Amino acid sequence: MPSQSYSLLVAIILGVWGGITMYSINGTNWNLQDPIVTGLVAGLVVHNTAVGLSVGATLELMSLGLWTYGGTLVPDFRSGALIGTAVAALSKGTTAQAVGAGIAVAVPISLLMSQMDVLAYSINAAFNHGADHFCDVKNERGITWMHWICLLPECLSRFIPITLAVW
């Protein structure tokens, strides 16, 4: 019988994975950000791979064709898959009921977490001005550091809420 909560270690692991997915989409594009991948990872961490794949696959279908063109924000189905899988794995019902509960949590979480992008991008505006300054003084190392520092608010914008939500 599954427990009714998760340890802090499980919450931190899922939070770190959420940060890695932000790094993947904004830094390397390793394609770790797909909801089916994040659902699989969450399922492995919470010991319910079938539910993780089901929640992730459903959110993957919802996300097909969505991308951030221009200044648009789309739902963050990556974070939704992580939190939805964690919630679904605690469900006491059948697998279908657990997946339904996970998706019912994942969709509003996905919409809410997309607003965290606004916060991270607002913080990054200060670092962009720093990069502009380093361009003016022709400091290539400073420009590189500003790029890497800009990833920090984006990764933390997922790590903190996911860790708190799962814990």
Side-chain angles (χ1 to χ4, degrees):
M1 182 168 164
S3 65
Q4 292 303 308
S5 65
Y6 292 110
S7 67
L8 183 58
L9 179 63
V10 169
I12 289 173
I13 290 170
L14 292 178
V16 166
W17 187 258
I20 288 171
T21 62
M22 285 302 290
Y23 175 72
S24 172
I25 199 167
N26 290 316
T28 64
N29 202 15
W30 289 328
N31 291 327
L32 300 175
Q33 70 274 7
D34 290 339
I36 195 165
V37 175
T38 56
L40 171 64
V41 169
L44 290 171
V45 171
V46 300
H47 305 293
N48 199 336
T49 309
V51 168
L53 281 172
S54 297
V55 171
T58 303
L59 295 174
E60 182 79 28
L61 289 173
M62 290 180 183
S63 71
L64 289 177
L66 295 178
W67 197 249
T68 56
Y69 297 109
T72 60
L73 287 175
V74 297
D76 179 14
F77 290 116
R78 304 174 307 277
S79 299
L82 288 171
I83 296 171
T85 299
V87 168
L90 289 177
S91 176
K92 292 184 178 183
T94 65
T95 302
Q97 291 171 331
V99 171
I103 293 168
V105 169
V107 172
I109 290 291
S110 299
L111 293 168
L112 179 65
M113 292 299 285
S114 66
Q115 296 306 307
M116 295 302 289
D117 286 336
V118 175
L119 177 64
Y121 297 157
S122 297
I123 293 169
N124 282 345
F127 298 120
N128 290 337
H129 292 305
D132 289 342
H133 166 73
F134 287 124
C135 283
D136 291 340
V137 297
K138 297 177 178 43
N139 183 343
E140 189 173 327
R141 176 173 273 206
I143 297 167
T144 302
W145 271 104
M146 288 295 109
H147 168 73
W148 287 107
I149 290 172
C150 279
L151 290 172
L152 187 62
E154 293 178 14
C155 292
L156 288 175
S157 74
R158 295 308 185 273
F159 171 76
I160 294 170
I162 290 171
T163 302
L164 291 175
V166 172
W167 188 40

